[in-house]
mmCIF file of all heavy atoms in Angstrom:
data_model
loop_
_atom_site.group_PDB
_atom_site.id
_atom_site.type_symbol
_atom_site.label_atom_id
_atom_site.label_comp_id
_atom_site.label_asym_id
_atom_site.label_seq_id
_atom_site.Cartn_x
_atom_site.Cartn_y
_atom_site.Cartn_z
ATOM 1 N N GLY A 347 85.889 103.586 79.866
ATOM 2 C CA GLY A 347 86.407 102.290 80.354
ATOM 3 C C GLY A 347 88.075 102.341 80.228
ATOM 4 O O GLY A 347 88.625 103.389 79.951
ATOM 5 N N PRO A 348 88.604 101.289 80.740
ATOM 6 C CA PRO A 348 89.980 101.304 80.836
ATOM 7 C C PRO A 348 90.835 101.521 79.488
ATOM 8 O O PRO A 348 91.752 102.267 79.457
ATOM 9 C CB PRO A 348 90.367 99.905 81.370
ATOM 10 C CG PRO A 348 89.079 99.373 81.818
ATOM 11 C CD PRO A 348 88.003 100.131 81.250
ATOM 12 N N GLY A 349 90.364 100.784 78.505
ATOM 13 C CA GLY A 349 91.063 100.952 77.140
ATOM 14 C C GLY A 349 91.012 102.368 76.587
ATOM 15 O O GLY A 349 91.944 102.901 76.230
ATOM 16 N N ALA A 350 89.884 103.015 76.728
ATOM 17 C CA ALA A 350 89.668 104.406 76.192
ATOM 18 C C ALA A 350 90.496 105.409 77.038
ATOM 19 O O ALA A 350 91.004 106.341 76.514
ATOM 20 C CB ALA A 350 88.159 104.778 76.142
ATOM 21 N N ALA A 351 90.489 105.218 78.377
ATOM 22 C CA ALA A 351 91.112 106.093 79.219
ATOM 23 C C ALA A 351 92.620 105.972 78.993
ATOM 24 O O ALA A 351 93.334 107.149 78.878
ATOM 25 C CB ALA A 351 90.804 105.831 80.748
ATOM 26 N N CYS A 352 93.120 104.924 78.913
ATOM 27 C CA CYS A 352 94.582 104.743 78.701
ATOM 28 C C CYS A 352 95.087 105.241 77.314
ATOM 29 O O CYS A 352 96.125 105.751 77.179
ATOM 30 C CB CYS A 352 95.144 103.401 79.124
ATOM 31 S SG CYS A 352 95.072 103.068 80.879
ATOM 32 N N GLU A 353 94.185 104.950 76.326
ATOM 33 C CA GLU A 353 94.419 105.460 74.982
ATOM 34 C C GLU A 353 94.506 106.905 75.022
ATOM 35 O O GLU A 353 95.398 107.618 74.352
ATOM 36 C CB GLU A 353 93.525 104.964 73.938
ATOM 37 C CG GLU A 353 93.639 105.356 72.515
ATOM 38 C CD GLU A 353 94.998 105.201 71.909
ATOM 39 O OE1 GLU A 353 95.845 104.284 72.323
ATOM 40 O OE2 GLU A 353 95.393 105.956 70.992
ATOM 41 N N ARG A 354 93.534 107.583 75.651
ATOM 42 C CA ARG A 354 93.610 108.993 75.654
ATOM 43 C C ARG A 354 94.821 109.571 76.417
ATOM 44 O O ARG A 354 95.439 110.555 76.065
ATOM 45 C CB ARG A 354 92.240 109.580 76.412
ATOM 46 C CG ARG A 354 92.142 110.905 76.459
ATOM 47 C CD ARG A 354 91.996 111.588 75.112
ATOM 48 N NE ARG A 354 91.808 113.036 75.211
ATOM 49 C CZ ARG A 354 92.213 113.920 74.372
ATOM 50 N NH1 ARG A 354 92.806 113.571 73.385
ATOM 51 N NH2 ARG A 354 91.990 115.247 74.630
ATOM 52 N N ALA A 355 95.226 108.868 77.447
ATOM 53 C CA ALA A 355 96.489 109.276 78.254
ATOM 54 C C ALA A 355 97.629 109.203 77.239
ATOM 55 O O ALA A 355 98.479 110.106 77.223
ATOM 56 C CB ALA A 355 96.681 108.400 79.451
ATOM 57 N N ARG A 356 97.748 108.177 76.432
ATOM 58 C CA ARG A 356 98.814 107.936 75.504
ATOM 59 C C ARG A 356 98.800 109.125 74.518
ATOM 60 O O ARG A 356 99.828 109.719 74.168
ATOM 61 C CB ARG A 356 98.687 106.656 74.823
ATOM 62 C CG ARG A 356 99.898 106.322 73.887
ATOM 63 C CD ARG A 356 99.618 105.140 72.914
ATOM 64 N NE ARG A 356 98.603 105.543 71.928
ATOM 65 C CZ ARG A 356 98.843 106.404 70.941
ATOM 66 N NH1 ARG A 356 99.891 106.994 70.676
ATOM 67 N NH2 ARG A 356 97.781 106.654 70.120
ATOM 68 N N GLN A 357 97.639 109.432 73.940
ATOM 69 C CA GLN A 357 97.554 110.573 72.996
ATOM 70 C C GLN A 357 98.024 111.883 73.613
ATOM 71 O O GLN A 357 98.787 112.617 72.985
ATOM 72 C CB GLN A 357 96.059 110.713 72.515
ATOM 73 C CG GLN A 357 95.680 109.502 71.730
ATOM 74 C CD GLN A 357 94.147 109.624 71.433
ATOM 75 O OE1 GLN A 357 93.453 110.573 71.937
ATOM 76 N NE2 GLN A 357 93.549 108.644 70.685
ATOM 77 N N VAL A 358 97.656 112.120 74.828
ATOM 78 C CA VAL A 358 98.071 113.383 75.426
ATOM 79 C C VAL A 358 99.468 113.409 75.695
ATOM 80 O O VAL A 358 100.188 114.421 75.400
ATOM 81 C CB VAL A 358 97.282 113.597 76.839
ATOM 82 C CG1 VAL A 358 97.888 114.740 77.596
ATOM 83 C CG2 VAL A 358 95.815 113.810 76.498
ATOM 84 N N THR A 359 100.009 112.332 76.164
ATOM 85 C CA THR A 359 101.603 112.228 76.350
ATOM 86 C C THR A 359 102.399 112.533 75.033
ATOM 87 O O THR A 359 103.414 113.131 75.079
ATOM 88 C CB THR A 359 101.962 111.055 77.000
ATOM 89 O OG1 THR A 359 101.750 109.896 76.297
ATOM 90 C CG2 THR A 359 101.477 110.940 78.371
ATOM 91 N N VAL A 360 101.895 111.931 74.029
ATOM 92 C CA VAL A 360 102.583 112.110 72.630
ATOM 93 C C VAL A 360 102.614 113.554 72.313
ATOM 94 O O VAL A 360 103.575 114.153 71.871
ATOM 95 C CB VAL A 360 101.895 111.153 71.617
ATOM 96 C CG1 VAL A 360 102.397 111.613 70.207
ATOM 97 C CG2 VAL A 360 102.133 109.795 71.805
ATOM 98 N N ARG A 361 101.438 114.157 72.435
ATOM 99 C CA ARG A 361 101.284 115.613 72.167
ATOM 100 C C ARG A 361 102.152 116.530 73.034
ATOM 101 O O ARG A 361 102.608 117.605 72.658
ATOM 102 C CB ARG A 361 99.825 116.073 72.149
ATOM 103 C CG ARG A 361 99.039 115.504 71.047
ATOM 104 C CD ARG A 361 97.559 115.849 71.095
ATOM 105 N NE ARG A 361 97.465 117.241 70.990
ATOM 106 C CZ ARG A 361 96.239 117.910 71.306
ATOM 107 N NH1 ARG A 361 95.181 117.129 71.631
ATOM 108 N NH2 ARG A 361 96.176 119.199 71.193
ATOM 109 N N MET A 362 102.361 116.052 74.184
ATOM 110 C CA MET A 362 103.176 116.843 75.194
ATOM 111 C C MET A 362 104.623 116.441 75.197
ATOM 112 O O MET A 362 105.518 116.986 75.858
ATOM 113 C CB MET A 362 102.597 116.621 76.652
ATOM 114 C CG MET A 362 101.281 117.206 76.812
ATOM 115 S SD MET A 362 100.623 117.019 78.479
ATOM 116 C CE MET A 362 101.650 118.079 79.400
ATOM 117 N N SER A 363 105.041 115.509 74.382
ATOM 118 C CA SER A 363 106.430 114.963 74.198
ATOM 119 C C SER A 363 106.970 114.560 75.562
ATOM 120 O O SER A 363 108.044 114.826 76.022
ATOM 121 C CB SER A 363 107.307 116.127 73.721
ATOM 122 O OG SER A 363 106.881 116.519 72.371
ATOM 123 N N VAL A 364 106.093 113.791 76.341
ATOM 124 C CA VAL A 364 106.584 113.113 77.514
ATOM 125 C C VAL A 364 106.364 111.680 77.392
ATOM 126 O O VAL A 364 105.707 111.274 76.473
ATOM 127 C CB VAL A 364 105.814 113.621 78.875
ATOM 128 C CG1 VAL A 364 106.075 115.247 78.986
ATOM 129 C CG2 VAL A 364 104.375 113.409 78.685
ATOM 130 N N THR A 365 106.894 110.850 78.286
ATOM 131 C CA THR A 365 106.827 109.430 78.242
ATOM 132 C C THR A 365 105.690 108.868 79.217
ATOM 133 O O THR A 365 105.681 109.298 80.379
ATOM 134 C CB THR A 365 108.256 108.785 78.710
ATOM 135 O OG1 THR A 365 109.226 109.349 77.825
ATOM 136 C CG2 THR A 365 108.239 107.311 78.632
ATOM 137 N N LEU A 366 104.942 108.094 78.735
ATOM 138 C CA LEU A 366 103.857 107.487 79.552
ATOM 139 C C LEU A 366 104.493 106.236 80.236
ATOM 140 O O LEU A 366 104.941 105.301 79.469
ATOM 141 C CB LEU A 366 102.647 106.947 78.621
ATOM 142 C CG LEU A 366 101.512 106.301 79.359
ATOM 143 C CD1 LEU A 366 100.954 107.295 80.455
ATOM 144 C CD2 LEU A 366 100.514 105.874 78.449
ATOM 145 N N LEU A 367 104.660 106.214 81.498
ATOM 146 C CA LEU A 367 105.328 105.102 82.176
ATOM 147 C C LEU A 367 104.286 104.098 82.534
ATOM 148 O O LEU A 367 104.571 102.816 82.430
ATOM 149 C CB LEU A 367 106.020 105.677 83.479
ATOM 150 C CG LEU A 367 107.151 106.632 83.277
ATOM 151 C CD1 LEU A 367 107.710 107.096 84.683
ATOM 152 C CD2 LEU A 367 108.249 106.012 82.493
ATOM 153 N N SER A 368 103.088 104.487 82.975
ATOM 154 C CA SER A 368 102.093 103.543 83.214
ATOM 155 C C SER A 368 100.701 104.084 83.155
ATOM 156 O O SER A 368 100.584 105.344 83.344
ATOM 157 C CB SER A 368 102.336 102.891 84.642
ATOM 158 O OG SER A 368 102.151 103.845 85.633
ATOM 159 N N CYS A 369 99.778 103.188 82.803
ATOM 160 C CA CYS A 369 98.364 103.634 82.938
ATOM 161 C C CYS A 369 97.623 102.304 83.409
ATOM 162 O O CYS A 369 97.712 101.417 82.809
ATOM 163 C CB CYS A 369 97.790 104.127 81.649
ATOM 164 S SG CYS A 369 96.075 104.537 81.672
ATOM 165 N N ARG A 370 96.930 102.523 84.615
ATOM 166 C CA ARG A 370 96.210 101.360 85.012
ATOM 167 C C ARG A 370 94.847 101.797 85.510
ATOM 168 O O ARG A 370 94.540 102.985 85.863
ATOM 169 C CB ARG A 370 96.952 100.614 86.034
ATOM 170 C CG ARG A 370 97.040 101.182 87.428
ATOM 171 C CD ARG A 370 98.027 100.465 88.322
ATOM 172 N NE ARG A 370 97.788 100.749 89.666
ATOM 173 C CZ ARG A 370 98.385 101.775 90.339
ATOM 174 N NH1 ARG A 370 99.200 102.553 89.647
ATOM 175 N NH2 ARG A 370 98.127 102.121 91.602
ATOM 176 N N TRP A 371 93.863 100.797 85.527
ATOM 177 C CA TRP A 371 92.510 101.027 85.944
ATOM 178 C C TRP A 371 92.289 100.574 87.268
ATOM 179 O O TRP A 371 92.690 99.296 87.430
ATOM 180 C CB TRP A 371 91.686 100.434 84.838
ATOM 181 C CG TRP A 371 90.257 100.821 84.966
ATOM 182 C CD1 TRP A 371 89.209 100.015 85.484
ATOM 183 C CD2 TRP A 371 89.539 102.059 84.462
ATOM 184 N NE1 TRP A 371 88.080 100.686 85.366
ATOM 185 C CE2 TRP A 371 88.262 101.930 84.728
ATOM 186 C CE3 TRP A 371 90.059 103.092 83.912
ATOM 187 C CZ2 TRP A 371 87.405 102.881 84.438
ATOM 188 C CZ3 TRP A 371 89.204 104.054 83.500
ATOM 189 C CH2 TRP A 371 87.848 103.986 83.809
ATOM 190 N N GLU A 372 91.923 101.215 88.249
ATOM 191 C CA GLU A 372 91.627 100.751 89.624
ATOM 192 C C GLU A 372 90.271 101.301 90.067
ATOM 193 O O GLU A 372 90.150 102.605 90.355
ATOM 194 C CB GLU A 372 92.756 101.225 90.433
ATOM 195 C CG GLU A 372 92.804 100.623 91.810
ATOM 196 C CD GLU A 372 93.982 100.977 92.605
ATOM 197 O OE1 GLU A 372 95.161 100.542 92.297
ATOM 198 O OE2 GLU A 372 93.881 101.711 93.602
ATOM 199 N N ARG A 373 89.299 100.373 90.353
ATOM 200 C CA ARG A 373 87.998 100.800 90.834
ATOM 201 C C ARG A 373 87.409 102.032 90.185
ATOM 202 O O ARG A 373 86.884 102.881 90.812
ATOM 203 C CB ARG A 373 88.100 100.946 92.315
ATOM 204 C CG ARG A 373 88.583 99.814 93.095
ATOM 205 C CD ARG A 373 88.604 100.065 94.584
ATOM 206 N NE ARG A 373 89.093 101.394 94.997
ATOM 207 C CZ ARG A 373 88.922 101.942 96.153
ATOM 208 N NH1 ARG A 373 88.464 101.174 97.086
ATOM 209 N NH2 ARG A 373 89.475 103.045 96.365
ATOM 210 N N GLY A 374 87.426 102.030 88.843
ATOM 211 C CA GLY A 374 86.778 103.100 88.124
ATOM 212 C C GLY A 374 87.649 104.405 87.918
ATOM 213 O O GLY A 374 87.177 105.381 87.364
ATOM 214 N N ASP A 375 88.854 104.365 88.304
ATOM 215 C CA ASP A 375 89.816 105.434 88.118
ATOM 216 C C ASP A 375 90.922 105.085 87.219
ATOM 217 O O ASP A 375 91.469 103.922 87.317
ATOM 218 C CB ASP A 375 90.516 105.870 89.529
ATOM 219 C CG ASP A 375 89.520 106.398 90.468
ATOM 220 O OD1 ASP A 375 88.456 106.941 90.090
ATOM 221 O OD2 ASP A 375 89.780 106.263 91.762
ATOM 222 N N ALA A 376 91.336 105.980 86.393
ATOM 223 C CA ALA A 376 92.623 105.788 85.546
ATOM 224 C C ALA A 376 93.721 106.532 86.311
ATOM 225 O O ALA A 376 93.664 107.591 86.661
ATOM 226 C CB ALA A 376 92.462 106.364 84.161
ATOM 227 N N LEU A 377 94.734 105.628 86.637
ATOM 228 C CA LEU A 377 95.948 106.095 87.306
ATOM 229 C C LEU A 377 97.065 106.210 86.364
ATOM 230 O O LEU A 377 97.450 105.203 85.700
ATOM 231 C CB LEU A 377 96.245 105.157 88.450
ATOM 232 C CG LEU A 377 95.054 104.946 89.424
ATOM 233 C CD1 LEU A 377 95.443 103.909 90.427
ATOM 234 C CD2 LEU A 377 94.686 106.250 90.181
ATOM 235 N N VAL A 378 97.544 107.387 86.103
ATOM 236 C CA VAL A 378 98.616 107.596 85.087
ATOM 237 C C VAL A 378 99.909 108.121 85.629
ATOM 238 O O VAL A 378 99.761 109.033 86.639
ATOM 239 C CB VAL A 378 98.070 108.625 84.082
ATOM 240 C CG1 VAL A 378 99.044 108.922 82.999
ATOM 241 C CG2 VAL A 378 96.766 108.083 83.502
ATOM 242 N N GLU A 379 101.069 107.628 85.156
ATOM 243 C CA GLU A 379 102.252 108.171 85.501
ATOM 244 C C GLU A 379 103.087 108.468 84.383
ATOM 245 O O GLU A 379 103.196 107.735 83.339
ATOM 246 C CB GLU A 379 103.048 107.055 86.304
ATOM 247 C CG GLU A 379 104.403 107.581 86.933
ATOM 248 C CD GLU A 379 104.919 106.561 87.882
ATOM 249 O OE1 GLU A 379 104.367 105.375 88.100
ATOM 250 O OE2 GLU A 379 106.081 106.830 88.519
ATOM 251 N N VAL A 380 103.689 109.666 84.310
ATOM 252 C CA VAL A 380 104.504 110.137 83.166
ATOM 253 C C VAL A 380 105.986 110.685 83.549
ATOM 254 O O VAL A 380 106.123 110.923 84.821
ATOM 255 C CB VAL A 380 103.755 111.303 82.350
ATOM 256 C CG1 VAL A 380 102.538 110.819 81.834
ATOM 257 C CG2 VAL A 380 103.567 112.419 83.345
ATOM 258 N N ARG A 381 106.832 110.803 82.647
ATOM 259 C CA ARG A 381 108.193 111.282 82.875
ATOM 260 C C ARG A 381 108.607 112.226 81.651
ATOM 261 O O ARG A 381 108.196 111.942 80.610
ATOM 262 C CB ARG A 381 109.114 110.129 82.990
ATOM 263 C CG ARG A 381 110.598 110.681 83.147
ATOM 264 C CD ARG A 381 111.519 109.502 83.270
ATOM 265 N NE ARG A 381 111.658 108.851 82.015
ATOM 266 C CZ ARG A 381 111.846 107.556 81.870
ATOM 267 N NH1 ARG A 381 111.903 106.739 82.836
ATOM 268 N NH2 ARG A 381 111.813 107.072 80.620
ATOM 269 N N SER A 382 109.358 113.264 81.999
ATOM 270 C CA SER A 382 109.759 114.145 81.010
ATOM 271 C C SER A 382 111.248 114.464 81.180
ATOM 272 O O SER A 382 111.716 114.668 82.308
ATOM 273 C CB SER A 382 109.032 115.428 81.010
ATOM 274 O OG SER A 382 109.550 116.356 80.148
ATOM 275 N N GLU A 383 112.049 114.441 80.081
ATOM 276 C CA GLU A 383 113.459 114.830 80.116
ATOM 277 C C GLU A 383 113.574 116.389 80.165
ATOM 278 O O GLU A 383 112.751 117.058 79.538
ATOM 279 C CB GLU A 383 114.205 114.180 78.964
ATOM 280 C CG GLU A 383 114.046 112.694 78.801
ATOM 281 C CD GLU A 383 114.891 112.004 79.871
ATOM 282 O OE1 GLU A 383 115.814 112.460 80.453
ATOM 283 O OE2 GLU A 383 114.408 110.867 80.280
ATOM 284 N N SER A 384 114.467 116.828 80.957
ATOM 285 C CA SER A 384 114.656 118.275 80.861
ATOM 286 C C SER A 384 115.329 118.637 79.589
ATOM 287 O O SER A 384 116.423 118.034 79.276
ATOM 288 C CB SER A 384 115.591 118.682 82.140
ATOM 289 O OG SER A 384 114.974 118.372 83.289
ATOM 290 N N PRO A 385 114.889 119.758 78.820
ATOM 291 C CA PRO A 385 115.433 120.068 77.668
ATOM 292 C C PRO A 385 116.766 120.891 77.723
ATOM 293 O O PRO A 385 117.007 121.580 78.747
ATOM 294 C CB PRO A 385 114.299 120.898 76.964
ATOM 295 C CG PRO A 385 113.662 121.556 78.202
ATOM 296 C CD PRO A 385 113.784 120.576 79.278
ATOM 297 N N GLY A 386 117.547 120.825 76.597
ATOM 298 C CA GLY A 386 118.652 121.761 76.363
ATOM 299 C C GLY A 386 119.575 121.848 77.662
ATOM 300 O O GLY A 386 120.061 120.804 78.130
ATOM 301 N N ARG A 387 119.853 123.053 78.000
ATOM 302 C CA ARG A 387 120.805 123.401 79.010
ATOM 303 C C ARG A 387 120.196 122.923 80.429
ATOM 304 O O ARG A 387 120.989 122.838 81.391
ATOM 305 C CB ARG A 387 121.087 124.858 79.120
ATOM 306 C CG ARG A 387 119.957 125.666 79.464
ATOM 307 C CD ARG A 387 120.295 127.147 79.414
ATOM 308 N NE ARG A 387 119.201 128.025 79.654
ATOM 309 C CZ ARG A 387 119.191 129.135 80.163
ATOM 310 N NH1 ARG A 387 120.366 129.782 80.450
ATOM 311 N NH2 ARG A 387 118.105 129.838 80.327
ATOM 312 N N TRP A 388 118.988 122.622 80.507
ATOM 313 C CA TRP A 388 118.392 122.073 81.800
ATOM 314 C C TRP A 388 118.584 120.577 82.014
ATOM 315 O O TRP A 388 118.196 119.993 82.953
ATOM 316 C CB TRP A 388 116.906 122.402 81.849
ATOM 317 C CG TRP A 388 116.683 123.878 81.875
ATOM 318 C CD1 TRP A 388 116.182 124.571 80.668
ATOM 319 C CD2 TRP A 388 116.903 124.861 82.859
ATOM 320 N NE1 TRP A 388 116.097 125.940 81.019
ATOM 321 C CE2 TRP A 388 116.507 126.054 82.308
ATOM 322 C CE3 TRP A 388 117.292 124.714 84.149
ATOM 323 C CZ2 TRP A 388 116.615 127.221 83.097
ATOM 324 C CZ3 TRP A 388 117.463 125.888 84.872
ATOM 325 C CH2 TRP A 388 117.086 127.129 84.268
ATOM 326 N N ALA A 389 119.130 119.947 80.984
ATOM 327 C CA ALA A 389 119.373 118.468 81.007
ATOM 328 C C ALA A 389 120.108 117.987 82.205
ATOM 329 O O ALA A 389 119.845 116.821 82.739
ATOM 330 C CB ALA A 389 120.071 118.015 79.724
ATOM 331 N N ALA A 390 120.992 118.782 82.735
ATOM 332 C CA ALA A 390 121.743 118.330 83.949
ATOM 333 C C ALA A 390 120.834 118.321 85.137
ATOM 334 O O ALA A 390 121.231 117.616 86.134
ATOM 335 C CB ALA A 390 122.800 119.503 84.229
ATOM 336 N N ILE A 391 119.695 118.881 85.097
ATOM 337 C CA ILE A 391 118.797 118.782 86.256
ATOM 338 C C ILE A 391 118.173 117.451 86.320
ATOM 339 O O ILE A 391 117.984 116.817 87.322
ATOM 340 C CB ILE A 391 117.684 119.862 86.116
ATOM 341 C CG1 ILE A 391 118.323 121.197 86.297
ATOM 342 C CG2 ILE A 391 116.628 119.665 87.218
ATOM 343 C CD1 ILE A 391 117.343 122.319 86.044
ATOM 344 N N GLY A 392 117.953 116.733 85.170
ATOM 345 C CA GLY A 392 117.451 115.397 85.218
ATOM 346 C C GLY A 392 116.046 115.355 84.677
ATOM 347 O O GLY A 392 115.550 116.210 83.916
ATOM 348 N N GLN A 393 115.329 114.402 85.217
ATOM 349 C CA GLN A 393 113.957 114.225 84.760
ATOM 350 C C GLN A 393 112.853 114.771 85.676
ATOM 351 O O GLN A 393 113.198 114.947 86.935
ATOM 352 C CB GLN A 393 113.661 112.682 84.650
ATOM 353 C CG GLN A 393 114.693 111.931 83.790
ATOM 354 C CD GLN A 393 114.596 110.410 83.945
ATOM 355 O OE1 GLN A 393 114.017 109.963 84.868
ATOM 356 N NE2 GLN A 393 115.174 109.748 82.959
ATOM 357 N N ALA A 394 111.757 114.996 85.134
ATOM 358 C CA ALA A 394 110.585 115.374 85.945
ATOM 359 C C ALA A 394 109.514 114.320 85.842
ATOM 360 O O ALA A 394 109.416 113.735 84.781
ATOM 361 C CB ALA A 394 109.985 116.755 85.439
ATOM 362 N N GLY A 395 108.814 114.000 86.808
ATOM 363 C CA GLY A 395 107.752 113.025 86.812
ATOM 364 C C GLY A 395 106.498 113.517 87.422
ATOM 365 O O GLY A 395 106.479 114.450 88.225
ATOM 366 N N ALA A 396 105.368 112.897 86.984
ATOM 367 C CA ALA A 396 104.038 113.279 87.713
ATOM 368 C C ALA A 396 103.105 111.987 87.656
ATOM 369 O O ALA A 396 103.295 111.152 86.868
ATOM 370 C CB ALA A 396 103.486 114.377 86.849
ATOM 371 N N ARG A 397 102.184 112.092 88.525
ATOM 372 C CA ARG A 397 101.167 111.047 88.656
ATOM 373 C C ARG A 397 99.783 111.815 88.730
ATOM 374 O O ARG A 397 99.680 112.855 89.200
ATOM 375 C CB ARG A 397 101.385 110.233 89.868
ATOM 376 C CG ARG A 397 102.529 109.328 89.849
ATOM 377 C CD ARG A 397 102.538 108.439 91.066
ATOM 378 N NE ARG A 397 103.847 108.772 91.733
ATOM 379 C CZ ARG A 397 104.196 108.300 92.861
ATOM 380 N NH1 ARG A 397 103.386 107.538 93.600
ATOM 381 N NH2 ARG A 397 105.441 108.515 93.326
ATOM 382 N N ALA A 398 98.922 111.096 88.107
ATOM 383 C CA ALA A 398 97.494 111.755 88.184
ATOM 384 C C ALA A 398 96.425 110.652 88.214
ATOM 385 O O ALA A 398 96.661 109.547 87.808
ATOM 386 C CB ALA A 398 97.234 112.540 86.766
ATOM 387 N N ARG A 399 95.377 111.075 88.741
ATOM 388 C CA ARG A 399 94.153 110.125 88.834
ATOM 389 C C ARG A 399 92.930 110.845 88.160
ATOM 390 O O ARG A 399 92.735 112.034 88.461
ATOM 391 C CB ARG A 399 93.756 109.892 90.323
ATOM 392 C CG ARG A 399 92.470 109.147 90.436
ATOM 393 C CD ARG A 399 91.890 109.009 91.889
ATOM 394 N NE ARG A 399 91.290 110.104 92.316
ATOM 395 C CZ ARG A 399 90.017 110.603 92.007
ATOM 396 N NH1 ARG A 399 89.251 109.897 91.254
ATOM 397 N NH2 ARG A 399 89.558 111.685 92.598
ATOM 398 N N ALA A 400 92.285 110.115 87.248
ATOM 399 C CA ALA A 400 91.084 110.715 86.715
ATOM 400 C C ALA A 400 90.032 109.557 86.928
ATOM 401 O O ALA A 400 90.110 108.521 86.638
ATOM 402 C CB ALA A 400 91.288 110.769 85.111
ATOM 403 N N GLY A 401 88.856 110.104 87.416
ATOM 404 C CA GLY A 401 87.865 109.253 87.863
ATOM 405 C C GLY A 401 86.540 110.015 88.142
ATOM 406 O O GLY A 401 86.468 111.223 88.010
ATOM 407 N N PRO A 402 85.536 109.331 88.609
ATOM 408 C CA PRO A 402 84.335 110.040 89.040
ATOM 409 C C PRO A 402 84.499 111.184 89.996
ATOM 410 O O PRO A 402 85.224 111.009 90.955
ATOM 411 C CB PRO A 402 83.456 108.865 89.619
ATOM 412 C CG PRO A 402 84.082 107.625 89.100
ATOM 413 C CD PRO A 402 85.497 107.857 89.002
ATOM 414 N N VAL A 403 83.822 112.320 89.681
ATOM 415 C CA VAL A 403 83.970 113.517 90.559
ATOM 416 C C VAL A 403 83.302 113.322 91.834
ATOM 417 O O VAL A 403 83.599 114.028 92.847
ATOM 418 C CB VAL A 403 83.606 114.801 89.781
ATOM 419 C CG1 VAL A 403 84.512 115.028 88.635
ATOM 420 C CG2 VAL A 403 82.110 114.703 89.414
ATOM 421 N N ASP A 404 82.341 112.506 91.978
ATOM 422 C CA ASP A 404 81.545 112.373 93.218
ATOM 423 C C ASP A 404 82.326 111.469 94.270
ATOM 424 O O ASP A 404 81.703 111.259 95.370
ATOM 425 C CB ASP A 404 80.170 111.860 92.955
ATOM 426 C CG ASP A 404 80.081 110.411 92.338
ATOM 427 O OD1 ASP A 404 81.223 109.975 91.746
ATOM 428 O OD2 ASP A 404 79.105 109.786 92.337
ATOM 429 N N ARG A 405 83.490 110.903 93.861
ATOM 430 C CA ARG A 405 84.190 110.161 94.914
ATOM 431 C C ARG A 405 85.494 110.805 95.266
ATOM 432 O O ARG A 405 86.237 111.173 94.423
ATOM 433 C CB ARG A 405 84.400 108.748 94.260
ATOM 434 C CG ARG A 405 84.996 107.728 95.326
ATOM 435 C CD ARG A 405 84.995 106.381 94.777
ATOM 436 N NE ARG A 405 86.073 106.267 93.839
ATOM 437 C CZ ARG A 405 85.840 105.625 92.542
ATOM 438 N NH1 ARG A 405 84.704 105.299 92.226
ATOM 439 N NH2 ARG A 405 86.876 105.727 91.664
ATOM 440 N N PRO A 406 85.789 110.911 96.558
ATOM 441 C CA PRO A 406 87.055 111.573 96.982
ATOM 442 C C PRO A 406 88.248 110.838 96.500
ATOM 443 O O PRO A 406 88.125 109.581 96.405
ATOM 444 C CB PRO A 406 86.998 111.690 98.511
ATOM 445 C CG PRO A 406 86.023 110.769 98.926
ATOM 446 C CD PRO A 406 85.005 110.511 97.650
ATOM 447 N N PRO A 407 89.446 111.458 96.258
ATOM 448 C CA PRO A 407 90.720 110.745 95.882
ATOM 449 C C PRO A 407 91.222 109.725 96.859
ATOM 450 O O PRO A 407 90.909 109.716 97.951
ATOM 451 C CB PRO A 407 91.627 111.903 95.638
ATOM 452 C CG PRO A 407 91.201 113.094 96.195
ATOM 453 C CD PRO A 407 89.581 112.836 96.448
#
């Protein structure tokens, strides 16, 4: 369910040292957005971001 999915997303982002920007539940899918700061000498490049959907495998994205 929504609570468990977003809690798991939070746990993963903590372990990966990235920022969880959002996690929402939409029609049985968890939609997650994250951001990461570029480390060390790469800091001038800025931030990297990603979005992901996790949901039933029998339904197309």
